[in-house]
Amino acid sequence: MKKILMILGTAVASFAYSQGTIIVNNYSKFDFYGFLMATNSTSGCYPRVGNDGAIVVPAESHMGNGLELVYKDYMGQFSSSLYPTANWVVTLNPTSSSIMAWNNVNLSPGGTIATTTKWYATKFDMMDAGTTNSNTENFRANMNIANACGTGINDYFVTPSGNNSAEMFTISGITYLQLY
């Protein structure tokens, strides 16, 4: 019985600090071209994980119409997300990065990488809808939530015109990136 409780306790502890879900709601009239990053902020900021190529979330893709980006984990997102990522860049230390396919066992939901990283940053450039033309609003930013690995808190962004904005935050283990 003690062994079972110990195994259950370990499982609960590892899932308690798992990457969590990220949801990108793009309420803007522009397409999101960006990168999402997760890190371990308690152990030297490694491992770090980010998508290998730009993720594209079209204009007006959000929870209100069921077109939002949702990643529940590195592996499962490939078959469950509307905007899957095939490869992840995984940085294990300052001198070692590798590209891992979405189905690499090291990215499994119960694995070390998934259970020790949390979503914390994005960098993006919003493009005119349906094109690869950068928008005239200068709607582009590098953002991160408060994190020991960040270079400051940049969890909110407003375009110079004030017409567009973005915010990044976490509620109950779910990280949101909202684009307006």
Side-chain angles (χ1 to χ4, degrees):
M1 183 65 166
K2 282 185 180 181
K3 281 186 179 181
I4 291 173
L5 289 175
M6 201 162 78
I7 291 169
L8 285 174
T10 302
V12 168
S14 71
F15 285 112
Y17 190 78
S18 65
Q19 74 191 82
T21 297
I22 188 163
I23 297 174
V24 177
N25 286 307
N26 184 2
Y27 298 100
S28 81
K29 65 180 183 177
F30 303 110
D31 293 346
F32 168 89
Y33 277 72
F35 296 85
L36 302 170
M37 289 145 281
T39 194
N40 180 338
S41 63
T42 62
S43 180
C45 302
Y46 296 99
R48 289 184 189 162
V49 180
N51 47 298
D52 182 39
I55 298 168
V56 179
V57 180
E60 295 296 333
S61 296
H62 49 79
M63 294 171 77
N65 59 20
L67 298 176
E68 75 278 15
L69 174 145
V70 177
Y71 289 173
K72 293 185 179 179
D73 59 71
Y74 303 117
M75 288 180 100
Q77 60 76 33
F78 193 79
S79 58
S80 66
S81 178
L82 296 173
Y83 316 99
T85 292
N87 296 305
W88 296 97
V89 177
V90 178
T91 304
L92 299 175
N93 60 55
T95 60
S96 172
S97 288
S98 61
I99 295 177
M100 293 184 185
W102 67 273
N103 59 353
N104 186 305
V105 68
N106 291 306
L107 296 173
S108 64
T112 303
I113 293 171
T115 58
T116 60
T117 58
K118 286 198 176 290
W119 299 107
Y120 84 105
T122 183
K123 60 182 180 177
F124 62 87
D125 192 355
M126 303 299 277
M127 304 290 187
D128 289 333
T131 74
T132 55
N133 300 327
S134 195
N135 69 84
T136 57
E137 291 286 322
N138 292 315
F139 194 4
R140 63 187 55 82
N142 293 339
M143 296 173 58
N144 65 285
I145 327 175
N147 181 299
C149 302
T151 57
I153 302 171
N154 301 312
D155 58 6
Y156 189 75
F157 173 79
V158 179
T159 58
S161 68
N163 292 333
N164 300 97
S165 63
E167 61 183 340
M168 192 171 193
F169 56 90
T170 300
I171 298 175
S172 300
I174 300 174
T175 301
Y176 295 88
L177 173 57
Q178 310 276 88
L179 305 150
Y180 305 101

